[in-house]
Amino acid sequence: MASAANAPQGRAPHIPTASRPRRPLVSALGGFPLAAALRGAVALALPLLAGVWTGRMTPAVIAAIGALWGVSQDGSDPYRTRARRLGWMGLASALGLLAGELALRTGQTAAVTVCLTVCALVGGAISLRERTASVAGMHLLLGATVGGGIPVPGPWWQAPFALLTGVGLVLVLSATPWLWRRHHVERAAVRAVYRAASEALAAAGTATAEDARRQLTDALDVAHHMMGRYLTSGHARRRDAEADRLLGAFHVAARLGEAVTTLLWEGRPLPATVVDIPLLIARGLLPDGEEPAVPSPPDGKDTAVGSLPDGRPAAAAVLPAVEPGSPGLRALAELRAATHVERMDDAALSLPARPRQSRSARLRYAALLAACVLAAQLCALLLDAPRGYWLPMTVAFVYQPDFGPVFGRALHRCIGTVVGVAAIGTVYLLTESTYAFIGLVAVFGALMAVGVRHHYAVATTGLTAIVFVLVDLLGDHRALYGPRILDTALASALVLVAHFALWPRSTAGRADALTEAALAAARRYQDLAQSAAPAQRQALRRAAYHQLAEARRAATNARREPVRPGHRLPDWERTVTEAEQLCDTVTARSLSLGSRPTNHALTT
């Protein structure tokens, strides 16, 4: 790494496009989601207990299915986002369940087959638009598979209402904490940026500096996503004091990212007093608890910024160590000592939208999904498979290319099914108590809530075991262990054959598109950073680093898919890495030119 004093003047180097394989960065798992695990256990056990106590087991099981799907979509994002996703998912799954139920009540197998195919077409057509639409499209098809495969006695509206009740229970459990900790999720995300900044400073001058900078970018991207709705011009008038303070802390975090990136680019190890500065800034801006930050005194002296462990002001500890050629240290010290940081233009700071899939891609996916569902349904009919809905249901779960690599989802689905079947088979040998089975559902519901955040195979293990118990509570006591494994393998094979024979470049095309968008953002930052105002420069920088991180994730997903013999994938990772390095250089040079004293000439 070069010194900031040697940052080049004039135009930054051109972004190269050379190619050489590079191992993708794998992020570590986050902390254990205890609250989500508890919600999963309660949401799945409560309807079943109510069914046992009231003697109405069938609607209770349908409600538990709704809760099961709700747990699969209960994320860690802002409460409003969760509510919107769960709401649309509940409506779509209830609509699909109603369509499948009405088709099943005709007594015609062809009606069920047509219903599943149409729901697959509709669900696939809307799935590749954005995340909420994808969730709704998948659960429209899942609802149709359950409605067309499980006969539900009673009026036509009972099953959809029970399903909505289960989804609503998860929604209540997930969103109720909003009442007493409204901004908890956003606050945690912003504080994580300051922790990542401190860890990145600790890595300065070491071999892990590049990975530390990427982890800081990931933390900023998460916080940016969490704060996204506050960055819209229409929300400015509706912000409360806490939201405004969080937004201010996020603006400071974005400026902090620029200083930290420059220090990592300079490549010198830093003392502990410097490493601790991001945490001290966070302590001043976002103190623990609900008490406000200490205001500045009337005489203008800064007492709100805190101090180092030895009692000295943090800025004073840094400034003596600042060398004329260290703009990173100077910027960090100034940011620490400032009582006010200029706010950026919220609208300009809004993250750019991801490139949307073309209409032809959406139509191709819808057609392939419908073809796979039709083939799975025909296989179920030809094989006379018990509970044949498992085949099209597996297709619906596996064939979601916007949720990750299709090959990985198919493989993990098979592994999770085998493990889930083995687990539930072992338990059935030990007990036949209904309450024990409900307790087992609670345990696997918690496991599934953890799995949807960390690993798809873990989530599938929980889902498989839960579905076995639910089917048993409906009165079907057949041992379906072998058929469930075979059905999962067959459905996964259908998806893989159709996907890789007819759409082999789907993930590679997305990686190409995101890489091109990222390079365009990096060039825009390169061309405009020197002449832009500080706030606009930050917006350009955030957009560039965010899109480069998106491109890297898309490249990682594309690498996980099989490639046809004789075909080589482009080296997106190297292109992204070199663009990141160029952005680091532009960041250091911009900060050097913007923060150097007027009597100091930047050497070349």
Side-chain angles (χ1 to χ4, degrees):
M1 293 186 181
S3 168
N6 297 324
Q9 297 189 49
R11 186 176 179 85
H14 177 69
I15 296 178
T17 57
S19 297
R20 182 173 57 84
R22 178 183 175 87
R23 188 185 184 92
L25 175 67
V26 180
S27 59
L29 295 180
F32 183 80
L34 178 60
L38 292 175
R39 290 198 298 268
V42 172
L44 282 161
L46 201 57
L48 299 179
L49 289 173
V52 171
W53 296 334
T54 61
R56 298 176 59 83
M57 207 62 216
T58 299
V61 169
I62 299 298
I65 292 174
L68 177 68
W69 293 345
V71 169
S72 73
Q73 298 302 322
D74 178 25
S76 301
D77 38 7
Y79 296 113
R80 183 177 301 224
T81 305
R82 296 185 210 177
R84 182 171 63 250
R85 183 172 61 248
L86 287 170
W88 282 110
M89 184 273 288
L91 291 175
S93 58
L95 180 61
L97 180 66
L98 177 61
E101 180 187 14
L102 294 179
L104 183 64
R105 292 190 179 199
T106 64
Q108 300 295 322
T109 303
V112 175
T113 303
V114 170
C115 175
L116 292 179
T117 305
V118 171
C119 286
L121 278 171
V122 175
I126 65 176
S127 281
L128 297 187
R129 293 179 177 273
E130 49 90 26
R131 172 73 181 192
T132 301
S134 183
V135 169
M138 178 177 71
H139 285 85
L140 175 72
L141 177 55
L142 288 174
T145 61
V146 171
I150 300 179
V152 180
W156 62 267
W157 52 264
Q158 179 175 283
F161 179 77
L163 189 79
L164 283 173
T165 301
V167 177
L169 176 60
V170 176
L171 177 58
V172 169
L173 293 174
S174 181
T176 297
W178 175 85
L179 297 174
W180 61 85
R181 53 176 194 175
R182 183 169 302 183
H183 303 291
H184 170 75
V185 176
E186 294 90 339
R187 182 187 181 91
V190 174
R191 289 181 70 94
V193 177
Y194 290 92
R195 288 194 297 272
S198 179
E199 293 169 0
L201 291 176
T206 70
T208 61
E210 188 175 359
D211 284 347
R213 202 275 306 147
R214 289 176 188 157
Q215 289 168 9
L216 174 59
T217 296
D218 290 343
L220 271 167
D221 285 345
V222 171
H224 211 154
H225 169 72
M226 297 294 184
M227 300 299 298
R229 69 187 184 97
Y230 298 114
L231 297 171
T232 59
S233 56
H235 198 279
R237 296 180 181 178
R238 302 195 300 271
R239 286 199 300 260
D240 54 27
E242 176 66 10
D244 202 57
R245 181 168 59 176
L246 280 171
L247 189 57
F250 173 71
H251 282 292
V252 174
R255 294 287 178 84
L256 180 64
E258 184 178 50
V260 171
T261 298
T262 301
L263 285 167
L264 294 177
W265 184 87
E266 290 173 8
R268 290 173 295 203
L270 300 170
T273 51
V274 175
V275 171
D276 289 339
I277 285 180
L279 302 179
L280 294 171
I281 297 175
R283 187 183 303 169
L285 294 173
L286 298 172
D288 293 331
E290 297 299 324
E291 69 277 6
V294 180
S296 300
D299 60 5
K301 295 180 180 178
D302 180 18
T303 60
V305 296
S307 60
L308 293 173
D310 60 5
R312 294 178 296 138
V318 177
L319 285 172
V322 173
E323 302 173 7
S326 181
L329 280 175
R330 186 180 300 280
L332 187 64
E334 291 173 354
L335 189 63
R336 182 66 184 97
T339 58
H340 173 74
V341 176
E342 178 189 355
R343 291 277 286 269
M344 304 177 207
D345 177 13
D346 289 344
L349 195 61
S350 297
L351 286 175
R354 291 185 182 184
R356 296 183 64 177
Q357 296 276 8
S358 65
R359 178 176 297 180
S360 62
R362 294 198 300 269
L363 291 176
R364 178 183 292 189
Y365 169 63
L368 286 176
L369 179 62
C372 289
V373 168
L374 177 60
Q377 178 69 359
L378 292 177
C379 286
L381 295 175
L382 292 174
L383 298 174
D384 194 23
R387 295 291 181 181
Y389 63 82
W390 193 273
L391 278 159
M393 179 185 292
T394 301
V395 170
F397 276 120
V398 170
Y399 203 9
Q400 292 292 320
D402 54 329
F403 282 10
V406 175
F407 179 79
R409 287 179 69 84
L411 178 63
H412 294 155
R413 187 83 191 170
C414 292
I415 294 173
T417 300
V418 170
V419 176
V421 164
I424 199 68
T426 302
V427 173
Y428 269 77
L429 292 175
L430 301 176
T431 182
E432 295 182 358
S433 168
T434 300
Y435 286 103
F437 291 157
I438 293 175
L440 187 67
V441 166
V443 171
F444 280 104
L447 180 67
M448 182 177 172
V450 175
V452 296
R453 287 161 174 77
H454 290 323
H455 203 286
Y456 185 61
V458 176
T460 300
T461 298
L463 182 142
T464 301
I466 291 168
V467 171
F468 264 90
V469 175
L470 296 183
V471 170
D472 185 84
L473 292 175
L474 282 175
D476 189 344
H477 305 298
R478 290 175 292 175
L480 301 178
Y481 308 124
R484 288 295 77 94
I485 295 175
L486 294 177
D487 289 350
T488 300
L490 177 58
S492 297
L494 287 173
V495 168
L496 293 178
V497 169
H499 182 67
F500 291 111
L502 302 177
W503 200 11
R505 279 192 51 82
S506 60
T507 54
R510 181 162 180 79
D512 283 337
L514 288 175
T515 301
E516 287 300 320
L519 293 179
R523 293 189 185 100
R524 189 163 54 249
Y525 176 47
Q526 168 190 340
D527 294 338
L528 301 178
Q530 297 301 307
S531 59
Q536 184 63 24
R537 186 180 73 230
Q538 288 294 334
L540 291 167
R541 178 182 175 277
R542 276 271 61 235
Y545 280 101
H546 168 73
Q547 293 193 259
L548 286 167
E550 288 282 320
R552 184 177 293 280
R553 284 187 283 270
T556 300
N557 285 339
R559 296 280 178 213
R560 292 173 179 168
E561 298 281 34
V563 181
R564 286 182 175 179
H567 289 72
R568 295 189 61 184
L569 295 176
D571 193 352
W572 302 290
E573 292 89 349
R574 183 176 180 183
T575 301
V576 170
T577 296
E578 292 174 344
E580 288 173 336
Q581 292 170 350
L582 179 135
C583 289
D584 291 347
T585 302
V586 172
T587 297
R589 189 185 64 196
S590 300
L591 203 58
S592 175
L593 294 175
S595 65
R596 61 192 173 101
T598 56
N599 60 350
H600 171 63
L602 188 68
T603 59
T604 61

Short mmCIF file of all heavy atoms in Angstrom, two decimals, residues 512-545:
data_model
loop_
_atom_site.label_atom_id
_atom_site.label_comp_id
_atom_site.label_asym_id
_atom_site.label_seq_id
_atom_site.Cartn_x
_atom_site.Cartn_y
_atom_site.Cartn_z
N ASP A 512 -22.71 -10.48 -14.56
CA ASP A 512 -22.24 -9.55 -15.59
C ASP A 512 -22.91 -8.19 -15.43
O ASP A 512 -22.23 -7.14 -15.46
CB ASP A 512 -22.56 -10.10 -16.98
CG ASP A 512 -21.60 -11.21 -17.40
OD1 ASP A 512 -20.48 -11.27 -16.86
OD2 ASP A 512 -21.99 -12.01 -18.27
N ALA A 513 -24.24 -8.20 -15.26
CA ALA A 513 -24.98 -6.93 -15.17
C ALA A 513 -24.57 -6.13 -13.93
O ALA A 513 -24.37 -4.91 -14.01
CB ALA A 513 -26.48 -7.21 -15.15
N LEU A 514 -24.46 -6.81 -12.80
CA LEU A 514 -24.09 -6.10 -11.58
C LEU A 514 -22.65 -5.61 -11.62
O LEU A 514 -22.33 -4.55 -11.09
CB LEU A 514 -24.31 -7.01 -10.37
CG LEU A 514 -25.77 -7.26 -10.00
CD1 LEU A 514 -25.88 -8.27 -8.86
CD2 LEU A 514 -26.47 -5.96 -9.60
N THR A 515 -21.76 -6.38 -12.24
CA THR A 515 -20.38 -5.93 -12.36
C THR A 515 -20.29 -4.69 -13.25
O THR A 515 -19.56 -3.74 -12.94
CB THR A 515 -19.50 -7.06 -12.93
OG1 THR A 515 -19.56 -8.18 -12.05
CG2 THR A 515 -18.05 -6.61 -13.05
N GLU A 516 -21.01 -4.69 -14.36
CA GLU A 516 -21.01 -3.51 -15.23
C GLU A 516 -21.56 -2.29 -14.51
O GLU A 516 -21.02 -1.19 -14.62
CB GLU A 516 -21.82 -3.79 -16.50
CG GLU A 516 -21.14 -4.72 -17.48
CD GLU A 516 -19.82 -4.16 -17.97
OE1 GLU A 516 -19.73 -2.94 -18.23
OE2 GLU A 516 -18.84 -4.94 -18.08
N ALA A 517 -22.65 -2.47 -13.75
CA ALA A 517 -23.21 -1.36 -12.99
C ALA A 517 -22.22 -0.86 -11.94
O ALA A 517 -22.10 0.35 -11.70
CB ALA A 517 -24.53 -1.78 -12.34
N ALA A 518 -21.51 -1.79 -11.29
CA ALA A 518 -20.53 -1.40 -10.28
C ALA A 518 -19.37 -0.64 -10.90
O ALA A 518 -18.89 0.36 -10.34
CB ALA A 518 -20.02 -2.65 -9.55
N LEU A 519 -18.89 -1.09 -12.05
CA LEU A 519 -17.80 -0.38 -12.71
C LEU A 519 -18.23 1.01 -13.14
O LEU A 519 -17.45 1.97 -13.04
CB LEU A 519 -17.32 -1.18 -13.93
CG LEU A 519 -16.62 -2.51 -13.65
CD1 LEU A 519 -16.22 -3.19 -14.95
CD2 LEU A 519 -15.42 -2.32 -12.76
N ALA A 520 -19.47 1.14 -13.59
CA ALA A 520 -19.97 2.46 -13.96
C ALA A 520 -20.02 3.39 -12.74
O ALA A 520 -19.65 4.57 -12.83
CB ALA A 520 -21.36 2.35 -14.60
N ALA A 521 -20.44 2.86 -11.59
CA ALA A 521 -20.47 3.67 -10.37
C ALA A 521 -19.06 4.05 -9.93
O ALA A 521 -18.82 5.17 -9.46
CB ALA A 521 -21.19 2.90 -9.26
N ALA A 522 -18.10 3.10 -10.07
CA ALA A 522 -16.72 3.40 -9.70
C ALA A 522 -16.13 4.48 -10.61
O ALA A 522 -15.42 5.39 -10.15
CB ALA A 522 -15.88 2.13 -9.76
N ARG A 523 -16.41 4.39 -11.91
CA ARG A 523 -15.91 5.42 -12.83
C ARG A 523 -16.54 6.78 -12.52
O ARG A 523 -15.88 7.83 -12.62
CB ARG A 523 -16.21 5.01 -14.27
CG ARG A 523 -15.44 3.78 -14.74
CD ARG A 523 -15.61 3.57 -16.24
NE ARG A 523 -14.96 2.32 -16.67
CZ ARG A 523 -15.59 1.18 -16.89
NH1 ARG A 523 -16.90 1.12 -16.71
NH2 ARG A 523 -14.93 0.10 -17.27
N ARG A 524 -17.82 6.76 -12.18
CA ARG A 524 -18.48 8.03 -11.85
C ARG A 524 -17.84 8.65 -10.61
O ARG A 524 -17.61 9.86 -10.55
CB ARG A 524 -19.97 7.76 -11.62
CG ARG A 524 -20.81 9.02 -11.48
CD ARG A 524 -22.29 8.71 -11.68
NE ARG A 524 -22.76 7.65 -10.81
CZ ARG A 524 -23.11 6.43 -11.24
NH1 ARG A 524 -23.02 6.12 -12.52
NH2 ARG A 524 -23.54 5.52 -10.38
N TYR A 525 -17.55 7.83 -9.62
CA TYR A 525 -16.87 8.32 -8.41
C TYR A 525 -15.48 8.84 -8.76
O TYR A 525 -15.04 9.89 -8.29
CB TYR A 525 -16.79 7.19 -7.40
CG TYR A 525 -16.04 7.49 -6.13
CD1 TYR A 525 -16.27 8.67 -5.42
CD2 TYR A 525 -15.09 6.60 -5.63
CE1 TYR A 525 -15.59 8.94 -4.24
CE2 TYR A 525 -14.41 6.86 -4.46
CZ TYR A 525 -14.66 8.03 -3.77
OH TYR A 525 -13.98 8.31 -2.61
N GLN A 526 -14.78 8.11 -9.61
CA GLN A 526 -13.44 8.51 -10.02
C GLN A 526 -13.46 9.87 -10.74
O GLN A 526 -12.62 10.73 -10.49
CB GLN A 526 -12.87 7.43 -10.94
CG GLN A 526 -11.60 7.81 -11.69
CD GLN A 526 -11.26 6.77 -12.74
OE1 GLN A 526 -11.73 5.64 -12.68
NE2 GLN A 526 -10.46 7.15 -13.72
N ASP A 527 -14.43 10.06 -11.62
CA ASP A 527 -14.47 11.28 -12.44
C ASP A 527 -14.95 12.50 -11.68
O ASP A 527 -14.52 13.62 -11.97
CB ASP A 527 -15.37 11.05 -13.66
CG ASP A 527 -14.81 10.00 -14.62
OD1 ASP A 527 -13.57 9.78 -14.58
OD2 ASP A 527 -15.58 9.41 -15.38
N LEU A 528 -15.84 12.31 -10.71
CA LEU A 528 -16.50 13.46 -10.08
C LEU A 528 -16.02 13.76 -8.66
O LEU A 528 -16.36 14.81 -8.11
CB LEU A 528 -18.01 13.22 -10.04
CG LEU A 528 -18.70 13.01 -11.40
CD1 LEU A 528 -20.18 12.75 -11.21
CD2 LEU A 528 -18.48 14.21 -12.31
N ALA A 529 -15.26 12.84 -8.04
CA ALA A 529 -14.92 13.00 -6.63
C ALA A 529 -14.14 14.28 -6.36
O ALA A 529 -14.37 14.96 -5.35
CB ALA A 529 -14.12 11.80 -6.14
N GLN A 530 -13.20 14.65 -7.26
CA GLN A 530 -12.34 15.80 -7.00
C GLN A 530 -13.10 17.12 -7.02
O GLN A 530 -12.79 18.03 -6.25
CB GLN A 530 -11.21 15.84 -8.04
CG GLN A 530 -10.28 14.65 -7.99
CD GLN A 530 -9.61 14.50 -6.64
OE1 GLN A 530 -9.00 15.44 -6.15
NE2 GLN A 530 -9.72 13.32 -6.05
N SER A 531 -14.12 17.21 -7.87
CA SER A 531 -14.85 18.48 -8.00
C SER A 531 -16.13 18.53 -7.18
O SER A 531 -16.75 19.59 -7.07
CB SER A 531 -15.19 18.71 -9.48
OG SER A 531 -15.98 17.64 -9.99
N ALA A 532 -16.54 17.41 -6.58
CA ALA A 532 -17.81 17.37 -5.85
C ALA A 532 -17.65 17.95 -4.45
O ALA A 532 -16.56 17.93 -3.86
CB ALA A 532 -18.31 15.94 -5.77
N ALA A 533 -18.76 18.48 -3.93
CA ALA A 533 -18.80 18.92 -2.53
C ALA A 533 -18.69 17.69 -1.64
O ALA A 533 -18.99 16.57 -2.07
CB ALA A 533 -20.10 19.66 -2.26
N PRO A 534 -18.26 17.88 -0.37
CA PRO A 534 -18.07 16.71 0.51
C PRO A 534 -19.29 15.81 0.60
O PRO A 534 -19.17 14.58 0.55
CB PRO A 534 -17.73 17.35 1.86
CG PRO A 534 -17.08 18.65 1.51
CD PRO A 534 -17.80 19.12 0.28
N ALA A 535 -20.49 16.40 0.72
CA ALA A 535 -21.69 15.57 0.85
C ALA A 535 -21.94 14.77 -0.43
O ALA A 535 -22.26 13.58 -0.38
CB ALA A 535 -22.89 16.44 1.16
N GLN A 536 -21.79 15.41 -1.59
CA GLN A 536 -21.99 14.70 -2.84
C GLN A 536 -20.92 13.64 -3.06
O GLN A 536 -21.19 12.55 -3.59
CB GLN A 536 -21.98 15.70 -4.01
CG GLN A 536 -22.28 15.08 -5.36
CD GLN A 536 -23.68 14.51 -5.44
OE1 GLN A 536 -24.56 14.92 -4.70
NE2 GLN A 536 -23.89 13.52 -6.31
N ARG A 537 -19.70 13.93 -2.62
CA ARG A 537 -18.62 12.95 -2.74
C ARG A 537 -18.94 11.69 -1.93
O ARG A 537 -18.69 10.57 -2.36
CB ARG A 537 -17.30 13.57 -2.27
CG ARG A 537 -16.09 12.67 -2.50
CD ARG A 537 -14.82 13.33 -2.03
NE ARG A 537 -14.73 13.36 -0.58
CZ ARG A 537 -14.45 14.44 0.15
NH1 ARG A 537 -14.28 15.61 -0.44
NH2 ARG A 537 -14.37 14.36 1.48
N GLN A 538 -19.51 11.90 -0.73
CA GLN A 538 -19.88 10.76 0.09
C GLN A 538 -20.96 9.92 -0.59
O GLN A 538 -20.93 8.68 -0.53
CB GLN A 538 -20.36 11.22 1.46
CG GLN A 538 -19.27 11.75 2.37
CD GLN A 538 -18.30 10.66 2.76
OE1 GLN A 538 -18.65 9.49 2.78
NE2 GLN A 538 -17.08 11.03 3.09
N ALA A 539 -21.92 10.59 -1.22
CA ALA A 539 -22.98 9.85 -1.91
C ALA A 539 -22.40 9.04 -3.06
O ALA A 539 -22.78 7.87 -3.27
CB ALA A 539 -24.03 10.83 -2.42
N LEU A 540 -21.49 9.63 -3.82
CA LEU A 540 -20.84 8.90 -4.92
C LEU A 540 -20.03 7.72 -4.39
O LEU A 540 -20.05 6.63 -4.97
CB LEU A 540 -19.92 9.85 -5.70
CG LEU A 540 -20.61 10.93 -6.52
CD1 LEU A 540 -19.58 11.97 -6.98
CD2 LEU A 540 -21.32 10.33 -7.72
N ARG A 541 -19.32 7.95 -3.30
CA ARG A 541 -18.50 6.89 -2.73
C ARG A 541 -19.36 5.73 -2.22
O ARG A 541 -19.08 4.57 -2.47
CB ARG A 541 -17.67 7.47 -1.58
CG ARG A 541 -16.80 6.44 -0.89
CD ARG A 541 -16.01 7.03 0.28
NE ARG A 541 -15.29 5.96 0.95
CZ ARG A 541 -15.82 5.15 1.86
NH1 ARG A 541 -17.08 5.32 2.23
NH2 ARG A 541 -15.12 4.18 2.39
N ARG A 542 -20.43 6.04 -1.50
CA ARG A 542 -21.31 5.00 -0.98
C ARG A 542 -21.91 4.18 -2.11
O ARG A 542 -22.01 2.96 -2.05
CB ARG A 542 -22.44 5.62 -0.16
CG ARG A 542 -22.11 5.95 1.27
CD ARG A 542 -22.38 4.82 2.25
NE ARG A 542 -21.60 3.61 2.00
CZ ARG A 542 -22.13 2.41 1.84
NH1 ARG A 542 -23.43 2.24 1.90
NH2 ARG A 542 -21.38 1.35 1.62
N ALA A 543 -22.35 4.85 -3.17
CA ALA A 543 -22.94 4.13 -4.30
C ALA A 543 -21.93 3.20 -4.94
O ALA A 543 -22.24 2.05 -5.28
CB ALA A 543 -23.48 5.12 -5.33
N ALA A 544 -20.68 3.67 -5.09
CA ALA A 544 -19.65 2.84 -5.73
C ALA A 544 -19.33 1.61 -4.90
O ALA A 544 -19.34 0.48 -5.40
CB ALA A 544 -18.40 3.68 -5.96
N TYR A 545 -19.06 1.81 -3.62
CA TYR A 545 -18.70 0.67 -2.78
C TYR A 545 -19.87 -0.30 -2.60
O TYR A 545 -19.68 -1.52 -2.54
CB TYR A 545 -18.19 1.15 -1.42
CG TYR A 545 -16.75 1.61 -1.43
CD1 TYR A 545 -16.43 2.96 -1.47
CD2 TYR A 545 -15.71 0.69 -1.41
CE1 TYR A 545 -15.12 3.39 -1.49
CE2 TYR A 545 -14.39 1.10 -1.43
CZ TYR A 545 -14.09 2.46 -1.46
OH TYR A 545 -12.79 2.87 -1.48
#
